Amino acid sequence: MFYQVPMLVAIVLAVVYPESSGSTALASIMILFSSMFYLLIFSAMSGTKVVDLDLEVSLHSLWQNRLITISGSVALYVIGMTEVFYYVLPYQLIGLFCDMLATGFKTGILEIEEMDIPDEKDDN
């Protein structure tokens, strides 16, 4: 995706050169993506937006993106920006579990079956 290179550069600068502004750039990128995710979740929970799993995405790019964002979170923790780390943590955990779910569906480990739900009117 488009944010991978700037995030990788910010991770390297934040870890290798702590006195540079790489840590600020990394924190800004992670806060931006987490805030966008939280806004999306709020919209989905309030019913103004429909969210679903994208099973057409390649697993390579899916896990590449997840690895880079998790590396960014770990780098934030290592350099001492624990407040930002804990702000980003729910975004990382929910994203990780959604990616694991999408991987299970894509590889065939998990599958969806339609169930017939009886109407309540039929029981009376």
Side-chain angles (χ1 to χ4, degrees):
M1 293 294 213
F2 66 93
Y3 67 91
Q4 289 180 349
V5 173
M7 189 174 288
L8 285 172
V9 169
I11 291 169
V12 169
L13 286 175
V15 173
V16 176
Y17 301 111
E19 66 278 351
S20 71
S21 60
S23 59
T24 306
L26 178 61
S28 300
I29 292 170
M30 296 298 287
I31 287 173
L32 174 71
F33 283 110
S34 296
S35 298
M36 289 177 10
F37 175 77
Y38 297 145
L39 181 64
L40 176 72
I41 293 297
F42 174 76
S43 298
M45 291 180 84
S46 65
T48 59
K49 189 157 189 82
V50 176
V51 180
D52 59 351
L53 285 175
D54 183 15
L55 299 177
E56 301 301 321
V57 70
S58 96
L59 292 179
H60 175 72
S61 65
L62 179 93
W63 285 105
Q64 182 179 6
N65 290 336
R66 186 59 50 208
L67 181 66
I68 290 172
T69 57
I70 289 174
S71 300
S73 295
V74 170
L76 286 172
Y77 188 80
V78 167
I79 62 176
M81 292 188 154
T82 54
E83 300 87 1
V84 178
F85 172 78
Y86 287 116
Y87 180 77
V88 171
L89 188 61
Y91 160 65
Q92 293 296 334
L93 291 176
I94 293 170
L96 178 66
F97 290 128
C98 288
D99 290 348
M100 288 177 8
L101 188 64
T103 300
F105 284 132
K106 184 105 177 183
T107 57
I109 296 171
L110 300 173
E111 61 184 37
I112 299 175
E113 292 182 9
E114 290 191 31
M115 295 178 54
D116 291 332
I117 300 174
D119 293 333
E120 292 179 13
K121 295 176 185 175
D122 293 341
D123 293 337
N124 293 330

